[in-house]
Amino acid sequence: QVQLVESGGGSVQAGGSLGLSCAASGYTGSNVCMGWFRQAPGKERERVAVINMYGATNYADSVKGRFAVSKDNAKNTLYLQMNSLEPEDTAVYYCAATLLYAGSCLNRGREDFGYWGQGTQVTVSS
């Protein structure tokens, strides 16, 4: 069973930076697609950034040029570096993974990711 544990959330002023980490366990090798989703109060959970088993990435338009997703296969850890944060980035951020769509996940929605972390709060104040 894949388990995901996020860390690194917190509060920051607009224009600041934060980094998130997601430690994964319960699978072997690098045949996994992982990503970050977020959910703001009253809104649906949306995809933020995804990285597939080949290292290719896909970002939501709202975070392009500001956020960077990366994965350390040796440590089974996913990262999200968030720069130039805006109040609109305030949300609970979730780490997610799929083994089934490890190579074809870049444009898939949250329903295709079968494993989820517990979430970590990111708050950006103006």
Side-chain angles (χ1 to χ4, degrees):
Q1 181 74 1
V2 176
Q3 292 186 323
L4 305 172
V5 179
E6 302 101 333
S7 61
S11 298
V12 66
Q13 289 193 326
S17 298
L18 278 176
L20 304 181
S21 298
C22 173
S25 61
Y27 67 91
T28 57
S30 59
N31 291 347
V32 62
C33 172
M34 299 184 73
W36 293 96
F37 291 72
R38 68 186 181 187
Q39 188 166 17
K43 295 188 177 181
E44 291 193 355
R45 193 172 298 188
E46 63 175 354
R47 187 180 64 219
V48 175
V50 174
I51 182 166
N52 71 11
M53 61 180 288
Y54 306 112
T57 59
N58 193 19
Y59 295 91
D61 288 342
S62 59
V63 307
K64 282 181 180 177
R66 300 189 297 122
F67 290 14
V69 63
S70 60
K71 183 159 63 77
D72 186 331
N73 290 326
K75 296 182 178 180
N76 282 357
T77 301
L78 179 73
Y79 303 97
L80 185 67
Q81 179 62 38
M82 304 182 291
N83 299 323
S84 301
L85 282 161
E86 303 168 354
E88 293 73 22
D89 296 316
T90 295
V92 177
Y93 283 71
Y94 296 91
C95 174
T98 174
L99 302 179
L100 184 61
Y101 301 112
S104 61
C105 63
L106 294 184
N107 293 305
R108 292 189 178 274
R110 62 183 187 271
E111 65 277 5
D112 291 324
F113 287 77
Y115 304 99
W116 293 86
Q118 80 286 355
T120 186
Q121 177 70 45
V122 171
T123 301
V124 184
S125 58
S126 57

